Amino acid sequence: MKKNFFKLTAILSVLALFVLAACGSGSNNGSGDKEVEFLSILTGGTTGTYYPLGGMFAQLIEDETGISTTPESSQASAANMTGLKDGKAEIAFVQTDIAYYAANGELMFEGDKIDMVSAIGALYPETVQLVTTAKSGIKTFEDLKGKKVSVGAPGSGTYANAEQLLEIHGLSIKDDIKAQNLDFGESQESLQSGQIDAAFITAGTPTAAVETLNATTEVVIVPVEDAKADELIKKYPYYAKEVVPKGTYGLEEDVPTVSVGAMLVVQNDLPKDVVYKITKAIYEGAGSLTHPKGKFIKTETGLNGIGIPVHPGAKKFFDENGVKAEQ
């Protein structure tokens, strides 16, 4: 009897170990069996590009997965990475440069490395726009000296872009301009009322806030000259040359500037099969999007410029389509 008791105890112990191993596996690599009943997408301000696209993505995801999905307005890139870390959402829009900083614990994430987030894929160029009005008289970066300039919230992607572009032009946020920490909507209203002279806005073009401004006043986008763009890219290689096309915001000619990339990121512990369906929904459904940026969202460029690990579910989708990361 005693012998049978010990035998039964041993069997139960082994079974318990198997159960524990199964429960513990995949919690950080998307291979677990976490049940998902609701998904939230962190976007940006309602007058930017992330928010309207987030609403369209939510519908694509819900149609593909059957999971209720909702876009949430936010303070955009840097705040979104922190939001995922804090469990406020499962998916988020983020600039490629900010995702890189977070994953490596650099700049605004120094001492606060975020390594529990991975990539779904690249979306479209995020144009760095230095927006002003014709009546301001500002035509170059040098004209910003002593002016009131919106640079976004401290720690935001826009703030980092503003700081780096000003640096390349020999200017400092702290010493050479009167920096204002406004979001896109506040920047638009303040430019319109004359309370500020210019604003940095990093977003896909056309940007709703700038289009709204153009409805009441003549918009000027300050150019980033070719030599300065080269200097910027040499020091910060995640930038690329970009153009705000003629006709955008009523512009009479193309305006050269620079861009970073927009991407989608996801919590690592979201199940592989769910992230696979999310990725499939977005890249196969992009052609149906009514937003102008939909034409840039393509499977074949989905891994371009990704500086952080790709979620296994997204990787499965790109592998099936023969898409590899840039070397």
Side-chain angles (χ1 to χ4, degrees), residues 130-140 143-144 147 188 190-194 196-199 210 213-223 249-252:
L130 175 53
V131 183
T132 185
T133 61
K135 63 184 178 183
S136 75
I138 296 171
K139 296 180 179 179
T140 68
D143 293 336
L144 295 176
K147 304 289 187 180
Q188 173 256 310
S190 297
L191 280 167
Q192 193 169 320
S193 64
I196 63 172
D197 303 295
V210 189
L213 178 65
N214 183 55
T216 60
T217 189
E218 184 180 349
V219 165
V220 172
I221 305 295
V222 179
Y249 316 132
L251 297 173
E252 295 183 356

Side-chain angles (χ1 to χ4, degrees), residues 211-257:
E211 287 187 307
T212 301
L213 178 65
N214 183 55
T216 60
T217 189
E218 184 180 349
V219 165
V220 172
I221 305 295
V222 179
V224 178
E225 301 299 341
D226 203 54
K228 288 298 182 183
D230 288 338
E231 189 178 342
L232 181 74
I233 293 166
K234 183 177 180 180
K235 185 165 186 179
Y236 303 107
Y238 38 75
Y239 283 99
K241 291 182 181 179
E242 189 60 68
V243 170
V244 181
K246 174 184 176 180
T248 309
Y249 316 132
L251 297 173
E252 295 183 356
E253 57 185 28
D254 291 350
V255 178
T257 183

Side-chain angles (χ1 to χ4, degrees), residues 19 93 103 129 159 269 275 302 314:
V19 170
F93 285 78
Q129 305 163 82
Y159 188 96
D269 65 355
V275 177

Side-chain angles (χ1 to χ4, degrees), residues 142 163-171 224 227-229 231-233 235-236:
E142 288 71 23
E163 188 171 45
Q164 290 160 357
L165 271 168
L166 288 169
E167 172 198 341
I168 292 299
H169 288 87
L171 300 171
V224 178
K228 288 298 182 183
E231 189 178 342
L232 181 74
I233 293 166
K235 185 165 186 179
Y236 303 107

